Amino acid sequence: MLQIEDLQIDYSKNCESNLRNKMLSVKNVDDLAKLLNKTAIDLNYLATNPSNYKTFQLKKKKGGFREIDMPENTLKYLQKTLNLYFQSVYLPLKSEASHGFIFNPKKRFRSIQTKLQKRQIAIVESDNIICNIKTNAEKHCNQKYVLNIDLKDFFTSISVHQIFKLFRGPIFNFDENVSSVLALLVTYKKRLPQGAPTSPILSNLICINLDENIEKYCKVRNINFTRYADDLTFSSDELISKEIIDDIQWIIQSHQFEVQPKKLRLISQKGRQTVTGLVVNKKVNVSRAYYKKLRAILHDCEKNGIENAFIKHYKNQESPNLNNFIQKIEGMLHFIAHIKGHENRNVVFMKVKFEAIFNK
């Protein structure tokens, strides 16, 4: 199996286009197998064996469950390799509006190597991200109106037939056999699985025309538009009318996606305007509730001990784990630092407190 480390050696001698050229030069299944350091028999087995996935449910924050289809390790590592190739193909094609699940493959190689040497994985991982929820939210700061639209069942609404057409189409231009094998390698139950490493980037590739059409529509109306996966955001200093909202929904539906009616929100500057969880009324910021939650957790850890704080704040979690609790705190701290700045006075204060608590 092709390992990330092997790609790093090859990639260090070349530029980003090397990955893209290798992917797009595949002419048949044998070429694909060679690219992935597999045999054609191996690829066919992985592509057609449904036992390669484990399905489970995760609780949603606001109630209900989300079904996750997680590939087993061999298929997962293969999909991670494919993800790097797909990213290199998508980068030169991406719309300015697209901000979700996009990284620079060259930096990803460096970060993987660094992850083995550093404990603060979250900080290392963020270094290779080109776009994120902050860049997504920045486009909508200090606007009189912000419109949020969510797409229903985003990954799982993308069918294996759409993925097959993507590989057969002008972006990849693969033959029928290669397109079939790839489509089967990255789908499950005839759709994109939520839980596969390749699903986010493939959804971005599927949405290229959607992004382009909405961008054209918004540009002539002076409306800002960004998309972070299934979260579409629009903002303007002019009222976004019902007619405009209906037009946007029609464009979305024409690309085989469905809008979540309950999550369609138009908010004026008088209310709290949020974009992918970040407040954008004046500048990009984390919500007060999120900030206060971290302060409260650190205070409990300091005053009552880590284990007592763990029991209190993880009491509703399934299969709680103390290490996961500490990693969650560290992740929250890094997230706030990423948004507010690492030199922010409150961030520095919480960093000092974190080190004092967990380095004892």
Side-chain angles (χ1 to χ4, degrees):
M1 180 178 68
L2 183 63
Q3 297 293 327
I4 299 297
E5 290 79 5
D6 298 331
L7 280 173
Q8 184 174 0
I9 295 170
D10 175 71
Y11 196 89
S12 65
K13 301 175 183 177
N14 300 280
C15 62
E16 173 205 313
S17 62
N18 189 16
L19 284 179
R20 182 167 62 253
N21 292 338
K22 283 188 174 185
M23 180 88 258
L24 298 181
S25 66
V26 169
K27 300 300 181 185
N28 51 52
V29 175
D30 287 333
D31 286 348
L32 179 63
K34 183 178 180 181
L35 181 72
L36 300 173
N37 202 28
K38 290 281 185 181
T39 67
I41 294 175
D42 290 335
L43 292 186
N44 284 319
Y45 173 79
L46 290 170
T48 57
N49 191 344
S51 65
N52 285 323
Y53 283 87
K54 178 183 178 181
T55 300
F56 57 94
Q57 291 185 326
L58 288 181
K59 284 184 179 180
K60 295 182 180 179
K61 289 183 179 180
K62 297 183 179 180
F65 291 89
R66 177 179 289 107
E67 188 171 274
I68 304 296
D69 296 310
M70 185 70 70
E72 55 81 31
N73 285 341
T74 302
L75 180 58
K76 181 172 69 175
Y77 291 133
L78 189 72
Q79 289 177 346
K80 283 185 174 182
T81 302
L82 283 170
N83 185 30
L84 294 171
Y85 285 112
F86 294 155
Q87 288 280 354
S88 68
V89 172
Y90 179 67
L91 278 176
L93 302 175
K94 73 171 286 295
S95 156
E96 290 184 5
S98 178
H99 288 262
F101 309 113
I102 302 164
F103 62 80
N104 185 327
K106 184 176 181 179
K107 291 186 178 180
R108 172 58 61 92
F109 294 130
R110 287 202 297 265
S111 76
I112 290 170
Q113 186 178 30
T114 310
K115 281 191 339 184
L116 301 175
Q117 303 167 355
K118 291 189 176 183
R119 182 172 63 90
Q120 293 180 314
I121 292 176
I123 293 177
V124 176
E125 276 294 300
S126 70
D127 289 340
N128 63 56
I129 302 298
I130 295 173
C131 302
N132 50 51
I133 62 171
K134 184 179 181 181
T135 63
N136 183 64
E138 285 172 340
K139 304 289 184 181
H140 306 286
C141 288
N142 202 27
Q143 296 287 302
K144 289 183 179 179
Y145 298 95
V146 173
L147 169 69
N148 293 308
I149 294 179
D150 284 16
L151 303 183
K152 185 177 180 181
D153 301 327
F154 183 53
F155 290 158
T156 56
S157 68
I158 299 174
S159 69
V160 64
H161 179 64
Q162 288 174 277
I163 298 300
F164 174 79
K165 285 178 63 179
L166 170 68
F167 292 133
R168 286 286 284 150
I171 294 176
F172 291 94
N173 198 29
F174 291 146
D175 71 17
E176 188 170 338
N177 290 333
V178 172
S179 300
S180 295
V181 171
L182 276 173
L184 290 172
L185 282 171
V186 299
T187 59
Y188 179 57
K189 299 176 182 176
K190 297 183 179 181
R191 53 175 173 73
L192 277 189
Q194 185 154 328
T198 43
S199 291
I201 187 59
L202 288 172
S203 69
N204 277 338
L205 284 159
I206 288 289
C207 285
I208 284 177
N209 289 335
L210 171 66
D211 293 339
E212 182 182 348
N213 289 343
I214 295 180
E215 269 189 319
K216 287 180 179 178
Y217 178 86
C218 290
K219 188 173 182 179
V220 298
R221 291 163 180 80
N222 294 318
I223 297 173
N224 304 308
F225 160 61
T226 61
R227 181 182 61 82
Y228 190 94
D230 57 347
D231 291 322
L232 281 67
T233 305
F234 307 82
S235 63
S236 177
D237 281 332
E238 300 294 329
L239 178 65
I240 302 176
S241 66
K242 184 181 183 302
E243 180 182 359
I244 291 175
I245 296 174
D246 289 343
D247 287 345
I248 291 170
Q249 290 191 84
W250 182 87
I251 296 173
I252 291 169
Q253 290 165 2
S254 71
H255 286 81
Q256 302 180 52
F257 290 106
E258 186 178 345
V259 172
Q260 283 268 31
K262 294 181 180 179
K263 294 187 177 181
L264 193 153
R265 308 171 297 280
L266 178 62
I267 307 170
S268 74
Q269 219 167 17
K270 294 179 181 179
R272 192 183 70 161
Q273 297 171 324
T274 60
V275 178
T276 48
L278 298 174
V279 180
V280 295
N281 288 69
K282 293 182 179 179
K283 63 179 182 179
V284 177
N285 207 345
V286 294
S287 67
R288 290 182 181 178
Y290 190 89
Y291 179 78
K292 287 182 177 179
K293 181 179 180 180
L294 179 57
R295 287 286 299 262
I297 293 174
L298 288 175
H299 177 74
D300 277 345
C301 289
E302 184 180 44
K303 185 177 180 180
N304 303 313
I306 298 171
E307 291 188 1
N308 289 328
F310 163 65
I311 293 170
K312 177 179 178 181
H313 293 279
Y314 250 47
K315 61 184 177 182
N316 295 323
Q317 299 291 326
E318 295 181 4
S319 303
N321 180 285
L322 186 60
N323 287 332
N324 290 343
F325 175 63
I326 297 172
Q327 288 175 5
K328 178 182 177 181
I329 297 172
E330 189 173 20
M332 292 176 70
L333 176 56
H334 176 68
F335 175 71
I336 293 175
H338 175 63
I339 302 302
K340 299 176 75 71
H342 289 273
E343 304 304 319
N344 178 274
R345 183 179 61 180
N346 293 323
V347 170
V348 172
F349 171 78
M350 288 193 293
K351 281 183 176 181
V352 171
K353 181 167 285 193
F354 177 89
E355 293 296 329
I357 294 170
F358 294 104
N359 282 350
K360 286 182 179 179

